[in-house]
Amino acid sequence: MEIVICKTKEEASRLAADMINAAVKKNPKTVLGLATGSTPVLMYNEMAKAVKAKKVSYKQVKSWNLDEYEGLAPTHNQSYRYFMNENLFKKIDIQLKNTHVLNGLAKDLDKECAAYEAQIKKAGGIDIQVLGIGSDGHIAFNEPGTSLTSRTSVVYLTPSTIKDNARLFFNGKLDEVPTRALSMGVGTICEAKKIVLLAFGENKQDAVKGMVEGGVTQFCTASALQMHPDAWVFCDEAAAKKLKLRKYYAWRSATKLGLKA
Ligand code: F6R
């Protein structure tokens, strides 16, 4: 796991966007796995800037999102489909028909999840998976206690995730946050060829510590990324603060990226 530690979340977002833009330039048919939440928004803005400046094109890119709430229509302003349209898809030249988000309204949710896995497989698998991390160490909606080999399925949110999501979205209204969601599994995520995880702010310190320097455990599902051969974590100094070897990680990753450490 490579840990890139930047002074600010703006700088970390820029570097992460550079990595994705470079991959898309190299392979215009890149298959992306995408995340929602507050964390990737700055990176999505950087990707949009590069498209606007004609430095890269997402015309042939296909994407699959990590998760979606159960019961929310794609037009609901808190649905993840809506979020993606507003925060990324409308701002870049990706074709909407090439973007995929789980359908939280599907009649048969298990069938929806199995079909999603099949679609990803048919596309040749995910080349780069974008991730945030929950304050409890979750990736996608894989909460503590989820098998590290799990596949896309219906999942149950913890009270702490419901609280975090109500704080940032849903106008703070706890009882409006759905308690179930459809989510790619940890096993599904770990099959991506490359991982780009973003983590910002003090609220993520414990999760980042657990992911990077804790044991591999289903109590911090992000720790499964320790087994991934090409996982990159872009964080700010606040999120990295509890890492014992943070100076070493910063030096190593900056050297690998050709930056001044
Ligand atoms: C979003 C997702 C979640 C978030 C995580 C962090 O699609 O899968 O795992 O990445 O909950 O959320 P923020 O970025 O809002 O702190």
Side-chain angles (χ1 to χ4, degrees), residues 34-40 65-68 80 131-135 138-142 161 164-165 167-169 183 198 200 203-204:
L34 296 172
T36 60
S38 54
T39 311
N65 257 78
L66 284 170
D67 39 20
E68 179 59 284
Y80 284 175
L131 295 173
I133 184 169
S135 57
H138 70 231
I139 44 173
F141 271 140
N142 295 293
T161 295
D164 281 349
N165 289 359
R167 188 170 47 83
L168 294 165
F169 305 99
S183 174
L198 305 160
F200 306 139
N203 190 35
K204 301 292 170 73

Side-chain angles (χ1 to χ4, degrees), residues 35-237:
T36 60
S38 54
T39 311
V41 172
L42 288 169
M43 184 187 78
Y44 291 158
N45 289 343
E46 291 297 327
M47 287 158 66
K49 262 195 228 165
V51 171
K52 207 169 166 205
K54 300 208 181 317
K55 288 184 181 154
V56 64
S57 169
Y58 281 72
K59 245 181 204 141
Q60 299 182 71
V61 165
K62 289 187 177 160
S63 73
W64 274 265
N65 257 78
L66 284 170
D67 39 20
E68 179 59 284
Y69 290 114
E70 179 189 14
L72 296 195
T75 47
H76 190 290
N77 68 3
Q78 297 296 338
S79 77
Y80 284 175
R81 161 53 79 179
Y82 185 90
F83 177 98
M84 288 310 299
N85 288 350
E86 295 303 310
N87 287 286
L88 183 66
F89 300 151
K90 279 185 182 171
K91 299 181 178 179
I92 59 174
D93 57 350
I94 198 166
Q95 301 182 66
L96 218 53
K97 68 172 167 74
N98 286 341
T99 67
H100 306 81
V101 182
L102 283 150
N103 177 9
L105 287 181
K107 270 210 181 87
D108 185 335
L109 295 176
D110 294 335
K111 215 166 144 190
E112 168 71 10
C113 293
Y116 204 68
E117 288 263 346
Q119 284 172 8
I120 294 171
K121 202 167 170 197
K122 200 170 161 210
I126 294 192
D127 293 310
I128 306 178
Q129 177 65 60
V130 174
L131 295 173
I133 184 169
S135 57
D136 63 2
H138 70 231
I139 44 173
F141 271 140
N142 295 293
E143 299 284 35
T146 304
S147 162
L148 299 184
T149 61
S150 64
R151 309 301 306 186
T152 305
S153 63
V154 177
V155 296
Y156 293 71
L157 309 191
T158 58
S160 93
T161 295
I162 291 172
K163 211 165 126 199
D164 281 349
N165 289 359
R167 188 170 47 83
L168 294 165
F169 305 99
F170 292 95
N171 301 317
K173 292 183 183 147
L174 263 183
D175 55 347
E176 284 187 12
V177 184
T179 53
R180 300 205 316 172
L182 278 64
S183 174
M184 274 191 204
V186 183
T188 320
I189 292 167
C190 287
E191 278 171 13
K193 292 166 196 107
K194 189 183 203 77
I195 303 280
V196 169
L197 184 146
L198 305 160
F200 306 139
E202 247 175 67
N203 190 35
K204 301 292 170 73
Q205 274 175 7
D206 291 326
V208 169
K209 171 79 180 164
M211 166 176 68
V212 180
E213 295 181 341
V216 175
T217 165
Q218 61 179 5
F219 289 103
C220 172
T221 54
S223 66
L225 300 175
Q226 290 179 24
M227 309 292 285
H228 195 282
D230 195 16
W232 288 76
V233 175
F234 292 85
C235 52
D236 61 4
E237 284 178 351

